[in-house]
Amino acid sequence: MNLNFRIQQEFFFLLKSKAVLGVMTLLLIMSGVSVVLGLNYVAAERQEIVELIQLDTEERAHKRTLAYDYGGAAYDAFHAAWNPPSDLTFAAIGQRDLNPTLMRIRALAIEGQIYETDSINPELALAGRFDFAFVAAYLLPLVIVFVFYDLLAAERESGRLNLLTVTAQNARSLWSIRILLRFIGVLIAVLLPLWIGMSVEGASVGLMLSATLAITLEAVFWTALVLVIATRPNFRSETIAAISVGTWIVLTLAIPIAGKVYIESSVTGIKGSEVALVQRESVNDAWDLPKSVTMDAFYASHPEWANSAPLHEEWHWKWYYAFHQVGDEMAAGLAQEYRATMLARDELTARFSLLSPAVAIQRRLEALAQTNLSASLAFEDQVRDYHEEIRRAYYPVLFEEVPFSKERLAQIAIPDFSESAGLDSE
Amino acid sequence: MSNCALKASELEVIRGGKAVLTGMSFEIKQGEVFALLGGNGAGKSTTLLTFMGLLKPTRGVAEVMGQSAAEQPDAVRSQIAYLPESAALYDHLTAWENLTYFLSLSQCRPEPKALSDALDAVSLPVESRGKPLKSYSKGMRQKVAIALALLRETPVLLLDEPTSGLDPSAVEDFHDIIERLASNGVTILMVTHDLYGACQVANRVGILRAGQLVDVFEADADGNIEINTVRDLFLQQQVA
Amino acid sequence: MSAITLIAADELRYWRRSKVAWTVLLTLLLVSVCAALVSNSEISRRVNERVAQQAEADAIFQAQPDRHPHRMVHYGHYVYRTASPLAVIDSGIDSMVGTSIFLEGHRQNSATFAAARETGLLARFGSFSPAFTLQVLAPLLLIICGFASVTREKESKTLYQLIGQGVSSSNLLFGKSLALGLVALIALLPLILLGFTSTGNDSFGFRQSLFGMAFGYLIYLSIWVLLIVSFSALLRTSAQSLSVLLGLWIITVVLMPRIASEYASVSVPSPTHVETDLRIAETMRAGGDSHDIEDNAFVGLRSLTLAEYNVESIEDLPFNYRGLVALRGEEADTEVLNQFAEERMAQELQQKTIADSFAMLSPVVAMRSFSMALAGTALPDHHHFLRAAEDYRYNMVQTFNRLQMSEMTLAEDLARNDSDDSGRRTRVDASNWAGMPVFELRPRDHAQRRQAASQPGFTMGFWLIAAFCLLLLSTRWLRT
């Protein structure tokens, strides 16, 4: 009956608690800054993609005017491929800066092209990004610690606890509303900028709810943890603060780092550079092998061209593209192993996320934002498919040995990456 | 039922591994002012905490208006107003804000008139009422805490060292309020080591020693207690 | 014993009796030792991997059969980046940069396969190294040890007794700082021990750098000790002191490095590699295609060469003209490529300078730069590797181009694709690659590393002075 008045009074009380309010405001600002930086980042990425497509189209058109044979035209024709940011990328940029997102590929061996990442400034990358996922994983728990650690101890140490308990009749009615209001305050401070950012990006309601749920669960976990420590009788407030921050260090710094050491030493599969090396060797060895060895291998996987005119001793482009393709096929097993290594590490990371809420929330946000490993590998698959489309587009003129003409070259139509990968055009 | 408001029977309370109350028994009638005198560590505060259900007795029962404090703490606390030793209110809030906030805790929405009446009753200067408590003297804080106790309008009032640290005129004001409350039928249990104040204001004075009530002195028909006898016993206990 | 040492001894006695202090000390010692061991095994594993890969790549390269030299230009070579020996203490950017570069003609490839990508999400949580322990954890443990060093005396009123007994407030604070400083020394032990026990060839002054690092960390931890004691003296209660110090730690250690790098990357945006590639392609288009001797870009070269050798046609030249075009073409290409590469490196350094300027707001930012610079795992060291790899690439490619010039005639070269037999005539003996010197990265020497560390070093000096001033200021505060 007087519940409204009770809530109103607790709200007033919260407004008067300057330290708590200050920390919440700080969280709001940090979350806001991270969202603005993230939006800035994806806006720049989108701009880069637009520019890339523009430059790429111009460059390819220019190269085509210079072409005098099909093989050379294919050699010079790069095609842009890009991994557009999702509606939530701004919040969890994740490993996006280390993974390939923008590339230009051509009909040569894909293994030599697909690992090309953007050149980042390593010293800036080392510090880590200041994105929303960072705020959620690192700062949110600390704010929760600050807001709740002396909830009880401050009242006890100033001698108010007995009066409060007797006046409110029991501890539950005394603390429930105060805890709830502070919890909601923290949650709004961290989520409000995210919601605004997601609205700006036009994210779906479902995605918003998923992100909100993830953050809420994390906040519930930390609040419960801090309250368990804070409600221990006879703990002084500085003891509670020290234990809470100690727990934060273990869960947010120690376990992930231990996990990293464990993962790197236990999953020591193949290195990416070995894939590149094998592919390179295979392509180069082909020069010294009898052409028929390469062509037989190629025709085995591409029987539709097996009837192509036999090769003589002189140079021919179709041989050149065949040995590139055979090189890819030779390295395919290693490339799969390389992916498997990364996936195995990711799998172990998932297990570590059970031990560390910081890892868990980052993984969840990166999954929602499609900036995680599987999204990166999915992009890699799209690029491989696109690469196949590109090389197969040139095969008819090469293997049917069509005489060169600019008109015929113009007929070789290769779709845009957006069409090939089924991206929404924006 | 009897008209007994507070009743302790064979109370035994252990705190921090030490028996603080060792089988204490007494009864306080409605409208009575009972003062519990005792030295440091005699078990005075423990008695109050037990009556509020904040400490559980290992043996015996503490009853308030016929209900066990240990078993029905919520019901018991709704009957009790409590004045802690060092007027423990929020320093960053004003008198008004403190009263409103604490009353909201007991599901009570005070009228502004009631608040100002209560503050009038404790004669808190009007110009101070809108200032945060951190600018108050100890006596002024105590007045706000008493006003809170008055506003609760409970049948039982528990006071923990209510006059310690107050100047003489504030003590006089306080005693007037106690007498007024008692005449309205409020039962008051105060624990104190202020021998003279206790004898002046209480109907009965009990002396607590080593967790047991060793003696009770009753006021005569004029409401006076033989202070010298009480003092002798009290001091004797201190020496022992 | 002076008053200062008496106070320090008293503080140490208090810690000896308190559980918290023992826990902190043991944790600190344990973490420091573990970090040293783990980091040592991690770095040596990485180094061994790369050494093995480099050896494999060298073996494959040297075992190449007789070939046309230009084929070798395209065949190329792999070089692997080795880690500085001090990466064991501070691995710096090691995991963030690619480990290998493919070297070939006409192109400068970037270093690919950064360990961080292969590790995944956890790579960004930091690495368990002595540097991490000293930069991040040690200040925190010092805070937990020392936040109450003065507030405790205030709360139990012993402060007034001490001052009443004639202990000056500055002696009190110096004594407390001394005691806390001794704890800090425990964290430094592994570093110092390593410095004295490390043996072996040290021609690049790594031991000097190690002692420099130890000295830097000593200053860094001293800054924290002074800040902790100052705040404990300035604030009223232990609870206040703890929350202010923890807040300071979070802002300076957790927040500032990220804010610094975000600010730097926003204020100097870097172009994407695709954009750079396109710009390079555009610029290089003017230089012509050095595979094609008829390219208009080489008309000038042809007439100059003909004039110099006083012959009528390129067939009459005493060497293979195609080789000369390849040589001059590579020269021109490399000039363009280097120009872009230098531009990029300058830009990265500019970003680093901006990020480093946040050292005035956080001693951790200064310490990080200082430590990486001396460990030889900072940005300039990576640039040093890139330049060395580029030198190696250029020399390798030009060696092959000279072979193309001298080892065959133009006619033979032009007919190389006509038949297997004509192809064989343009092949050069395999001993030419088997004898190529292998890539060896000479690390930068101590003077260069010290040079890179000087700026953050000065900033740390500033912080030390500022922290000392704060301590002096707080003695006045304590007196009143």
Side-chain angles (χ1 to χ4, degrees):
Chain A
M1 82 209 133
N2 271 324
L3 192 62
N4 274 343
F5 181 62
R6 174 90 178 78
I7 294 173
Q8 181 201 322
Q9 277 296 307
E10 276 298 350
F11 186 65
F12 168 78
F13 186 81
L14 177 62
L15 291 185
K16 285 276 179 176
S17 314
K18 292 214 181 68
V20 170
L21 217 57
V23 171
M24 286 181 188
T25 314
L26 192 72
L27 179 62
L28 181 73
I29 294 171
M30 289 302 157
S31 176
V33 168
S34 76
V35 166
V36 170
L37 287 171
L39 288 174
N40 205 19
Y41 179 85
V42 291
E45 268 203 341
R46 293 209 177 93
Q47 181 64 31
E48 279 160 12
I49 291 173
V50 170
E51 280 169 14
L52 166 70
I53 296 171
Q54 167 87 26
L55 280 170
D56 177 69
T57 317
E58 283 171 13
E59 169 85 7
R60 195 164 52 243
H62 171 77
K63 281 279 156 79
R64 272 210 172 172
T65 60
L66 303 175
Y68 49 83
D69 57 7
Y70 296 120
Y75 187 91
D76 286 332
F78 286 90
H79 298 263
W82 60 93
N83 186 8
S86 78
D87 296 339
L88 196 60
T89 298
F90 77 90
I93 293 163
Q95 296 276 81
R96 214 178 144 77
D97 50 359
L98 292 177
N99 288 331
T101 47
L102 275 182
M103 49 177 67
R104 295 175 75 224
I105 51 165
R106 50 179 167 167
L108 307 191
I110 185 71
E111 294 299 338
Q113 306 176 62
I114 202 151
Y115 303 111
E116 191 82 359
T117 54
D118 227 327
S119 34
I120 49 163
N121 184 335
E123 257 197 58
L124 301 190
L126 184 64
R129 296 214 77 95
F130 193 88
D131 59 359
F132 179 81
F134 162 72
V135 173
Y138 287 75
L139 298 185
L140 175 62
L142 285 171
V143 167
I144 289 175
V145 167
F146 268 88
V147 166
F148 289 109
Y149 83 99
D150 69 345
L151 187 77
L152 204 68
E155 304 295 3
R156 188 168 48 222
E157 280 156 23
S158 58
R160 280 186 299 261
L161 185 60
N162 289 336
L163 178 61
L164 283 165
T165 314
V166 170
T167 312
Q169 293 181 20
N170 58 56
R172 182 162 16 94
S173 77
L174 171 62
W175 299 116
S176 54
I177 298 178
R178 199 181 278 192
I179 291 172
L180 201 66
L181 282 184
R182 286 188 182 192
F183 179 77
I184 293 172
V186 169
L187 214 52
I188 289 178
V190 72
L191 284 173
L192 191 66
L194 179 72
W195 289 332
I196 295 174
M198 289 181 85
S199 314
V200 169
E201 289 283 286
S204 72
V205 178
L207 190 60
M208 271 191 177
L209 286 178
S210 305
T212 306
L213 181 71
I215 299 293
T216 310
L217 284 178
E218 192 213 355
V220 166
F221 171 85
W222 276 105
T223 307
L225 188 75
V226 177
L227 284 178
V228 164
I229 301 167
T231 51
R232 290 291 305 239
N234 310 325
F235 268 13
R236 290 185 54 80
S237 51
E238 56 260 32
T239 313
I240 299 168
I243 294 178
S244 304
V245 172
T247 315
W248 178 85
I249 291 168
V250 170
L251 294 184
T252 313
L253 299 178
I255 291 182
I257 291 178
K260 181 190 150 203
V261 172
Y262 175 74
I263 284 174
E264 282 185 351
S265 57
S266 67
V267 185
T268 50
I270 184 129
K271 297 270 161 217
S273 50
E274 290 171 38
V275 184
L277 196 65
V278 164
Q279 181 276 140
R280 197 83 202 170
E281 282 314 304
S282 147
V283 164
N284 277 285
D285 287 348
W287 288 87
D288 304 319
L289 290 172
K291 295 195 174 68
S292 60
V293 174
T294 303
M295 296 317 287
D296 289 347
F298 180 80
Y299 292 143
S301 58
H302 296 74
E304 65 274 30
W305 303 116
N307 296 329
S308 180
L311 278 169
H312 302 293
E313 286 189 346
E314 76 276 20
W315 159 273
H316 198 290
W317 277 110
K318 70 181 180 188
W319 168 67
Y320 181 80
Y321 287 103
F323 72 64
H324 270 272
Q325 174 56 23
V326 171
D328 273 352
E329 285 168 12
M330 301 263 286
L334 280 178
Q336 279 304 323
E337 271 182 63
Y338 178 53
R339 283 171 73 127
T341 306
M342 289 201 284
L343 283 170
R345 287 182 167 175
D346 192 53
E347 183 57 38
L348 272 182
T349 309
R351 279 196 224 155
F352 271 94
S353 73
L354 295 176
L355 298 175
S356 161
V359 178
I361 192 71
Q362 292 221 335
R363 270 182 68 84
R364 182 70 191 133
L365 288 177
E366 287 182 14
L368 290 174
Q370 291 163 31
T371 50
N372 56 1
L373 179 68
S374 47
S376 168
L377 293 181
F379 171 64
E380 201 182 294
D381 286 336
Q382 289 176 338
V383 175
R384 285 176 191 278
D385 290 346
Y386 188 45
H387 174 258
E388 181 158 0
E389 262 184 81
I390 294 169
R391 64 185 173 85
R392 284 188 185 276
Y394 286 102
Y395 284 171
V397 286
L398 293 172
F399 287 93
E400 289 163 13
E401 305 200 359
V402 179
F404 181 79
S405 75
K406 296 243 164 170
E407 292 70 35
R408 181 69 186 88
L409 182 64
Q411 282 167 16
I412 301 175
I414 291 160
D416 240 19
F417 181 71
S418 53
E419 264 173 75
S420 164
L423 303 175
D424 299 332
S425 50
E426 286 179 40
Chain B
M1 293 287 285
S2 70
N3 64 345
C4 164
L6 293 170
K7 182 180 170 187
S9 37
E10 299 289 317
L11 267 189
E12 193 182 276
V13 178
I14 295 174
R15 242 179 134 177
K18 227 181 88 188
V20 184
L21 296 183
T22 54
M24 183 176 69
S25 302
F26 61 82
E27 285 186 14
I28 306 172
K29 290 192 290 292
Q30 279 180 25
E32 197 180 7
V33 179
F34 187 88
L36 212 49
L37 269 178
N40 295 331
K44 300 191 304 285
S45 296
T46 305
T47 309
L48 292 188
L49 295 178
T50 312
F51 270 109
M52 292 186 289
L54 293 169
L55 286 176
K56 302 262 182 279
T58 43
R59 199 162 59 82
V61 190
E63 280 176 28
V64 178
M65 307 302 277
Q67 289 167 308
S68 159
E71 277 156 30
Q72 289 164 293
D74 289 17
V76 161
R77 287 171 195 163
S78 69
Q79 310 277 336
I80 293 176
Y82 167 60
L83 186 68
E85 182 183 354
S86 56
L89 299 167
Y90 288 106
D91 269 358
H92 64 289
L93 301 181
T94 66
W96 280 96
E97 289 164 351
N98 262 299
L99 291 179
T100 319
Y101 178 73
F102 272 91
L103 288 169
S104 81
L105 285 177
S106 62
Q107 304 289 316
C108 163
R109 181 175 201 144
E111 296 299 323
K113 173 87 172 63
L115 290 183
S116 56
D117 282 354
L119 292 173
D120 287 344
V122 297
S123 57
L124 186 78
V126 179
E127 65 274 13
S128 307
R129 294 179 188 176
K131 286 182 191 157
L133 257 58
K134 54 174 160 276
S135 62
Y136 283 27
S137 69
K138 187 166 184 204
M140 283 161 74
R141 285 166 202 236
Q142 186 77 339
K143 283 175 176 175
V144 181
I146 297 167
L148 173 63
L150 295 179
L151 282 161
R152 292 285 313 283
E153 296 179 326
T154 51
V156 177
L157 190 56
L158 303 181
L159 310 174
D160 194 352
E161 303 284 3
T163 52
S164 78
L166 295 191
D167 62 41
S169 79
V171 173
E172 281 304 313
D173 288 349
F174 175 71
H175 286 163
D176 288 346
I177 293 168
I178 297 296
E179 277 163 15
R180 204 159 62 227
L181 286 170
S183 64
N184 288 341
V186 176
T187 312
I188 296 167
L189 167 61
M190 59 189 278
V191 301
T192 181
H193 48 230
D194 174 15
L195 170 70
Y196 303 97
C199 290
Q200 198 183 335
V201 76
N203 302 116
R204 282 197 296 158
V205 174
I207 293 185
L208 193 61
R209 188 201 303 174
Q212 269 175 331
L213 204 58
V214 291
D215 234 320
V216 178
F217 298 86
E218 205 152 337
D220 58 20
D222 304 331
N224 293 324
I225 292 177
E226 184 44 65
I227 193 160
N228 290 332
T229 326
V230 179
R231 187 188 58 203
D232 289 347
L233 198 77
F234 186 49
L235 291 178
Q236 176 194 335
Q237 174 210 332
Q238 296 290 304
V239 172
Chain C
M1 263 211 273
S2 78
I4 298 177
T5 46
L6 272 173
I7 295 280
D10 189 49
E11 184 77 1
L12 290 173
R13 185 165 57 233
Y14 173 82
W15 283 336
R16 215 173 54 218
R17 291 180 185 162
S18 110
K19 254 185 248 164
V20 178
W22 272 115
T23 320
V24 167
L25 286 183
L26 280 179
T27 316
L28 194 57
L29 203 61
L30 200 71
V31 166
S32 310
V33 172
C34 282
L37 294 177
V38 168
S39 174
N40 189 26
S41 80
E42 198 177 323
I43 295 295
S44 52
R45 181 171 49 75
R46 277 194 219 164
V47 168
N48 290 341
E49 265 171 20
R50 290 182 208 157
V51 167
Q53 284 170 326
Q54 182 71 71
E56 190 192 346
D58 286 340
I60 293 174
F61 181 84
Q62 287 168 351
Q64 289 307 305
D66 298 355
R67 271 203 180 137
H68 188 285
H70 198 70
R71 278 278 328 290
M72 286 305 282
V73 167
H74 282 275
Y75 175 75
H77 195 5
Y78 282 91
V79 291
Y80 289 82
R81 183 170 52 82
T82 50
S84 145
L86 291 182
V88 173
I89 294 178
D90 189 342
S91 61
I93 60 171
D94 187 77
S95 66
M96 289 295 153
V97 288
T99 50
S100 65
I101 302 186
F102 178 63
L103 308 178
E104 59 182 330
H106 324 305
R107 277 172 72 83
Q108 277 181 6
N109 294 305
S110 53
T112 47
F113 302 107
R117 185 192 180 217
E118 291 170 5
T119 301
L121 174 73
L122 293 180
R124 291 296 170 90
F125 281 83
S127 61
F128 194 46
S129 63
F132 177 80
T133 319
L134 287 163
Q135 287 168 20
V136 176
L137 295 182
L140 196 67
L141 292 171
L142 287 176
I143 287 175
I144 290 173
C145 237
F147 74 95
S149 54
V150 185
T151 50
R152 192 179 61 237
E153 309 271 7
K154 286 186 201 172
E155 281 167 348
S156 60
K157 315 278 186 221
T158 45
L159 179 66
Y160 306 103
Q161 272 180 26
L162 283 170
I163 291 177
Q165 283 169 358
V167 176
S168 77
S169 48
S170 53
N171 278 350
L172 177 77
L173 298 193
F174 291 153
K176 298 279 186 189
S177 309
L178 183 65
L180 201 56
L182 289 175
V183 179
L185 278 182
I186 293 179
L188 280 172
L189 263 180
L191 213 62
I192 296 166
L193 284 180
L194 203 67
F196 282 113
T197 55
S198 67
T199 47
N201 177 29
D202 185 30
S203 44
F204 298 100
F206 279 110
R207 188 171 305 159
Q208 268 171 292
S209 297
L210 180 63
F211 282 118
M213 284 170 87
F215 183 66
Y217 280 109
L218 185 67
I219 290 179
Y220 173 71
L221 292 181
S222 306
I223 294 169
W224 274 104
V225 164
L226 294 175
L227 288 177
I228 291 167
V229 175
S230 302
F231 278 105
S232 189
L234 284 170
L235 295 164
R236 257 187 309 130
T237 65
S238 298
Q240 276 180 350
S241 163
L242 181 63
S243 38
V244 167
L245 286 168
L246 285 180
L248 192 72
W249 179 81
I250 289 162
I251 291 172
T252 54
V253 178
V254 182
L255 229 51
M256 273 306 163
R258 287 180 190 245
I259 291 179
S261 70
E262 285 290 348
Y263 183 78
S265 59
V266 169
S267 40
V268 183
S270 7
T272 62
H273 78 103
V274 170
E275 190 188 330
T276 314
D277 285 354
L278 281 164
R279 278 173 57 213
I280 291 173
E282 209 180 328
T283 317
M284 277 174 45
R285 215 180 279 155
D289 177 3
S290 58
H291 295 103
D292 177 11
I293 50 173
E294 305 298 333
D295 195 305
N296 287 335
F298 300 104
V299 171
L301 174 68
R302 179 187 300 230
S303 49
L304 272 176
T305 315
L306 292 179
E308 189 182 334
Y309 284 90
N310 202 15
V311 288
E312 286 298 310
S313 77
I314 51 174
E315 283 81 8
D316 302 335
L317 285 168
F319 53 82
N320 175 6
Y321 178 66
R322 279 194 87 227
L324 181 70
V325 170
L327 195 75
R328 294 281 173 260
E330 189 61 43
E331 204 177 284
D333 286 353
T334 303
E335 201 176 312
V336 172
L337 290 167
N338 279 344
Q339 175 200 327
F340 276 92
E342 289 296 331
E343 199 178 294
R344 157 133 221 121
M345 289 191 250
Q347 195 174 39
E348 284 181 350
L349 284 176
Q350 197 188 347
Q351 287 175 329
K352 176 180 159 60
T353 310
I354 292 174
D356 279 354
S357 66
F358 278 74
M360 295 302 277
L361 297 176
S362 156
V364 185
V365 175
M367 190 64 232
R368 267 165 47 107
S369 294
F370 182 83
S371 172
M372 275 194 279
L374 279 184
T377 52
L379 192 60
D381 302 283
H382 182 56
H383 289 169
H384 172 70
F385 163 69
L386 293 177
R387 290 198 183 97
E390 167 54 23
D391 271 354
Y392 186 77
R393 183 197 76 86
Y394 184 70
N395 287 332
M396 177 185 83
V397 169
Q398 295 302 56
T399 307
F400 297 150
N401 285 336
R402 279 193 205 97
L403 284 173
Q404 188 182 2
M405 263 175 84
S406 59
E407 299 299 308
M408 66 194 75
T409 64
L410 180 63
E412 281 170 340
D413 200 7
L414 286 172
R416 70 196 178 283
N417 285 330
D418 291 354
S419 69
D420 285 351
D421 195 44
S422 60
R424 256 190 296 282
R425 244 170 284 149
T426 58
R427 287 187 192 167
V428 168
D429 191 75
S431 64
N432 281 298
W433 3 111
M436 276 277 292
V438 294
F439 176 69
E440 238 173 326
L441 181 63
R442 272 182 66 89
R444 306 196 319 151
D445 58 28
H446 175 70
Q448 284 171 305
R449 289 195 294 274
R450 198 182 51 202
Q451 163 75 22
S454 62
Q455 182 58 39
F458 282 130
T459 316
M460 293 220 302
F462 157 80
W463 269 98
L464 187 67
I465 292 167
F468 192 72
C469 289
L470 186 70
L471 190 79
L472 291 180
L473 213 68
S474 57
T475 60
R476 299 183 126 195
W477 191 268
L478 206 62
R479 200 174 300 146
T480 50

